[in-house]
Amino acid sequence: MNLRLYMLQRITALLMAPLVLGHLAVMIYAVQGGLSAAEILGRTQGSIIWFLFYGSFVVAAAIHGAIGLRVIAAEWGGLRGRVLDVLVWVIGLGLFGLGARAVWAVTFA
């Protein structure tokens, strides 16, 4: 189980690396272009591309973050077994829910 989680965290890191760079490039472009929040939303609303881009980012970040916090909870908090598993699922689903809500707001709300 630990090897699978270790590998899954590495895979999500590989997925997030280009997404982070893409996000930073977009933010730099927006700031240097002087775009307002309304102008940015005008470009992202209704866009399946932005939905898929940021949706992928949210999924990868939620998985990656939950696994990382699992390690911290086990090593520093001494949590084990069912309590650790439930905590990680709650955190992971919480991260996903918050991120998904943000992606929906920026792309389709």
Side-chain angles (χ1 to χ4, degrees):
M1 178 70 146
N2 286 340
L3 178 60
R4 287 183 185 161
L5 292 175
Y6 176 85
M7 292 307 296
L8 185 56
Q9 192 174 38
R10 281 9 181 217
I11 290 167
T12 56
L14 287 172
L15 291 172
M16 284 191 304
L19 296 172
V20 167
L21 294 175
H23 173 72
L24 290 174
V26 168
M27 292 302 104
I28 291 169
Y29 172 78
V31 168
Q32 288 182 344
L35 296 176
S36 69
E39 290 169 323
I40 293 169
L41 286 175
R43 295 176 185 204
T44 60
Q45 290 290 313
S47 172
I48 191 71
I49 300 296
W50 287 119
F51 176 79
L52 293 173
F53 178 85
Y54 282 112
S56 300
F57 204 155
V58 164
V59 170
I63 293 169
H64 187 86
I67 293 171
L69 290 172
R70 182 183 199 279
V71 172
I72 293 169
E75 289 181 5
W76 289 12
L79 299 179
R80 301 274 183 261
R82 194 96 165 126
V83 171
L84 180 60
D85 292 339
V86 169
L87 176 67
V88 169
W89 274 102
V90 168
I91 290 170
L93 291 173
L95 290 171
F96 174 76
L98 291 171
R101 184 172 183 225
V103 170
W104 185 261
V106 169
T107 56
F108 290 111

